[in-house]
Amino acid sequence: MRQSQLFTKTRREAPADEVSKNAQLLIRAGFVYKEMAGVYAFLPLGLRVLENIKNIVREEMNAAGGQELIMTALQRKELWEKTDRWSDEKVDVWFKSTLSAGGDVGFAWSHEEPISDMMKGYLESYRDLPVYVYQFQTKLRNELRAKSGVLRGREFVMKDLYSYTTDAAQHKEIYEAMIQAYQNVYRRIGLGDITFLTFASGGAFTQFSHEFQTVSDVGEDIIYIDTEKRIAVNKEVYTDEVLAHIGLEKEKLIEAKSIEVGNIFDFGGSKSEQLGLMFKDETGALKPVYLGSYGLGITRVMATIAEVMSDDKGLVWPEGVSPFRYHLVSLAGADETLRARADQLYDTLTEAGISVLYDDREQRAGEKFADSDLIGIPFRIVVGKNSTDTSFEVVTRSSGETRTMSKDELLQHS
Ligand code: ATP
Ligand code: MG
C-alpha cells in the first residue's frame, strides 16, 4: 500500500478526553477512530492488525476442531429469562431495546443462550457430539467505566467458542485442547512471555475458570504468578486452600497487575437443562448436553499489544500481527533514480506477496521517520543516498538495530 493513498494521517495529539495510552497511540498513528467513550472504529491500519489476530485465532480454533459461524446481534428476551440472565440485576451490562412491533430484544453481550437454543435443532444423540462452534463478533456491553481505551469497549470484538459434549470426561479433552490453543495464540501474536494461565472464579464442576492474564500496570486484575510453572492465581480466589489445591507455594509467587485477555470455563449441564438442550446417550436415556464457553478479546489483545509493546516513539508491532512486514521509506525527494529504485523494490516485494507500506510521500526525512516510529512496523527499509541498487538499510523497530540487506535477503527474510 502506498502511504500517499492512505486517507489516515498521523496526529501529534490524541483527543484531550482520551486518557489511556493504548487509545492515544492507536488514534495518533491512525489505527482507530474514537466515536465516543468506549466506542472505537477500526481504520485501514487497525483493521489489518485485527484481521491478523483473528486469522491466528481462527487457525488455532480450526485446528482444535472448531466450526466457524456468526450468530445474531439481536437476541430474544425469553431465552435469557429461562436461564435467569435477563434482568439488569443479574447481568449489569445489558443494552436492551423495544421493537416498534412490540416486545423486547437484547443486544448481544454473550451468546451461550442463543447458540445453545439453536443447537436443540441439531443435537439429538451422543453420536452428534462433540461439537465446537465459534464466531468473531462485535459484543455490546454497557460498561460502567470506559476509561481504558480499546482495552474496555462498550462495543468490542470477541472470539467466543462453545463446546457441546456428552459429559465431564469428553469436556475435559476439549478444555485441555483449548488451553493449548490459547497458549499457541498468545505465543504467535507475541504476548506469550508475559501471559499466564490463571486460576480464577467460576466453572461449574471444576471449581475454577481459567483466565489468560497479560502482565501490565494498566491491568485491572491482580494475579500471583509462579514464573517457573508459568501459572498464576487471580486475587479473587487467592487463599491458602486454593494454593494447596493447585500445588503452588505462596513464597514463590510474584504479585502483578494484569489484563484479562481470555477466559474459559464450563457450565456443566445446568444451562442445557434450563434451555432443554438434551441428547440421548448410548442407553437411550435423555441427558443435558455439557457446555463449555471460551472467550478471547480480539480488540483487547490489540490494545494490550499497543499498551505493553510500545515505547516513547510509538507503537511496536510484533511480526505476527503487524499491519505490514516492511515500512519502505523513500527519501528520494526530486531524485528520479532513487524514486525508481524505491518503486522497483516496492513492486518486487509486493509481487512476492510480502506486505509493504510504501512511504512515497514528499515529506522531510525527519517527519517520515517520526511517522514510521509511531506506526511501528517491525522493519523499516530506507531508500536514500546511502542505498544502492543492491543494498538497503534496514532498521528493526523494536531494537533500533540497523543492518544492510540485499534484495534477495529482503525477499527471504521472514
Ligand atoms: P472483564 O472482567 O474484563 O469485564 P469479563 O470477565 O466480563 O471481562 P468475559 O465475558 O469472560 O469477560 O469475556 C471474554 C473476553 O472478552 C475477556 O477475557 C476479555 O478478553 C474480553 N472482554 C470482555 N469485556 C470486554 C470489553 N468491555 N472490551 C474489550 N474486551 C472485553
Ligand atoms: Mg472473564
Side-chain angles (χ1 to χ4, degrees):
M1 172 177 256
R2 285 177 180 263
Q3 210 166 330
S4 57
Q5 307 288 303
L6 188 64
F7 80 84
T8 58
K9 308 271 180 290
T10 58
R11 302 166 46 157
R12 244 175 247 297
E13 308 283 343
D17 65 340
E18 185 57 73
V19 292
S20 78
K21 180 170 84 168
N22 67 81
Q24 284 177 349
L25 284 172
L26 290 167
I27 292 169
R28 284 183 49 217
F31 286 65
V32 306
Y33 165 76
K34 183 173 192 173
E35 180 67 28
M36 59 178 124
V39 181
Y40 298 88
F42 292 85
L43 305 174
L45 292 175
L47 184 61
R48 292 180 74 99
V49 175
L50 277 192
E51 292 302 316
N52 289 339
I53 297 170
K54 280 164 68 175
N55 279 331
I56 289 173
V57 173
R58 182 177 280 127
E59 280 174 21
E60 296 295 336
M61 294 303 113
N62 289 347
Q67 302 181 47
E68 188 171 352
L69 47 70
I70 301 185
M71 295 300 288
T72 66
L74 294 181
Q75 302 184 330
R76 281 177 286 157
K77 171 184 176 182
E78 66 265 24
L79 285 184
W80 293 87
E81 276 176 341
K82 280 190 193 170
T83 58
D84 196 21
R85 295 215 285 181
W86 176 257
S87 77
D88 296 330
E89 290 72 47
K90 285 282 155 58
V91 173
D92 60 5
V93 293
W94 269 121
F95 282 111
K96 296 172 181 171
S97 189
T98 306
L99 296 173
S100 329
D104 295 329
V105 290
F107 297 150
W109 65 276
S110 191
H111 275 87
E112 286 88 1
E113 276 73 352
I115 286 203
S116 298
D117 188 67
M118 179 187 79
M119 283 299 172
K120 283 156 61 180
Y122 301 99
L123 305 179
E124 282 168 27
S125 115
Y126 69 95
R127 287 189 211 89
D128 299 326
L129 298 168
V131 169
Y132 318 128
V133 291
Y134 74 97
Q135 62 177 349
F136 296 97
Q137 219 215 23
T138 300
K139 303 285 191 230
L140 298 161
R141 292 190 184 181
N142 200 347
E143 302 275 0
L144 185 61
R145 292 159 295 134
K147 293 203 180 318
S148 308
V150 183
L151 281 175
R152 183 174 295 286
R154 296 200 164 101
E155 190 179 316
F156 62 97
V157 180
M158 193 203 287
K159 182 285 300 175
D160 39 332
L161 183 141
Y162 303 90
S163 68
Y164 296 91
T165 50
T166 51
D167 53 20
Q170 199 176 62
H171 168 76
K172 198 165 178 262
E173 280 179 38
I174 181 63
Y175 196 81
E176 272 158 17
M178 275 296 133
I179 289 179
Q180 192 56 58
Y182 271 58
Q183 282 170 338
N184 293 344
V185 166
Y186 299 118
R187 178 176 39 74
R188 290 177 63 187
I189 60 182
L191 289 174
D193 289 348
I194 50 169
T195 301
F196 295 90
L197 177 68
T198 303
F199 288 79
S201 66
F205 286 94
T206 43
Q207 182 187 346
F208 299 109
S209 81
H210 287 93
E211 294 171 341
F212 293 84
Q213 294 275 1
T214 303
V215 173
S216 163
D217 278 340
V218 305
E220 293 175 11
D221 284 0
I222 293 179
I223 59 169
Y224 297 87
I225 310 166
D226 183 321
T227 51
E228 266 167 44
K229 293 187 172 155
R230 296 203 57 79
I231 54 178
V233 180
N234 195 310
K235 189 173 187 179
E236 63 187 22
V237 297
Y238 180 72
T239 63
D240 289 335
E241 197 191 338
V242 166
L243 292 182
H245 179 86
I246 305 169
L248 294 178
E249 291 167 57
K250 206 169 202 164
E251 303 70 47
K252 285 196 177 164
L253 304 182
I254 297 167
E255 186 186 281
K257 284 188 171 182
S258 60
I259 301 168
E260 181 196 314
V261 289
N263 189 194
I264 67 175
F265 52 94
D266 75 301
F267 282 96
S270 58
K271 196 167 290 295
S272 296
E273 223 155 333
Q274 291 167 321
L275 291 164
L277 175 60
M278 312 296 279
F279 73 102
K280 276 200 184 107
D281 73 4
E282 288 91 332
T283 67
L286 269 186
K287 289 192 173 154
V289 177
Y290 200 105
L291 174 64
S293 180
Y294 312 80
L296 194 154
I298 301 291
T299 45
R300 183 176 284 186
V301 159
M302 174 176 172
T304 301
I305 294 170
E307 195 70 53
V308 301
M309 313 272 238
S310 50
D311 61 19
D312 53 356
K313 293 184 193 142
L315 297 158
V316 183
W317 296 105
E319 290 178 42
V321 303
S322 176
F324 295 92
R325 174 160 189 81
Y326 292 124
H327 199 173
L328 171 57
V329 177
S330 161
L331 305 181
D335 187 326
E336 288 300 328
T337 319
L338 282 184
R339 170 156 299 267
R341 185 175 292 159
D343 279 353
Q344 207 198 23
L345 181 60
Y346 174 64
D347 290 342
T348 308
L349 292 172
T350 48
E351 275 159 28
I354 298 171
S355 62
V356 183
L357 180 62
Y358 177 20
D359 188 353
D360 58 342
R361 301 171 305 163
E362 296 292 332
Q363 259 87 336
R364 287 182 299 111
E367 279 176 54
K368 290 187 157 206
F369 289 149
D371 277 356
S372 177
D373 282 337
L374 179 59
I375 292 170
I377 293 167
F379 304 103
R380 178 199 301 161
I381 308 171
V382 184
V383 174
K385 300 265 177 304
N386 296 335
S387 60
T388 70
D389 244 347
T390 50
S391 77
F392 300 91
E393 181 189 315
V394 180
V395 186
T396 303
R397 174 65 181 88
S398 57
S399 62
E401 174 208 353
T402 302
R403 58 189 147 165
T404 303
M405 291 174 80
S406 69
K407 220 175 244 189
D408 276 349
E409 284 173 317
L410 287 171
L411 284 166
Q412 269 145 38
H413 173 65
S414 60

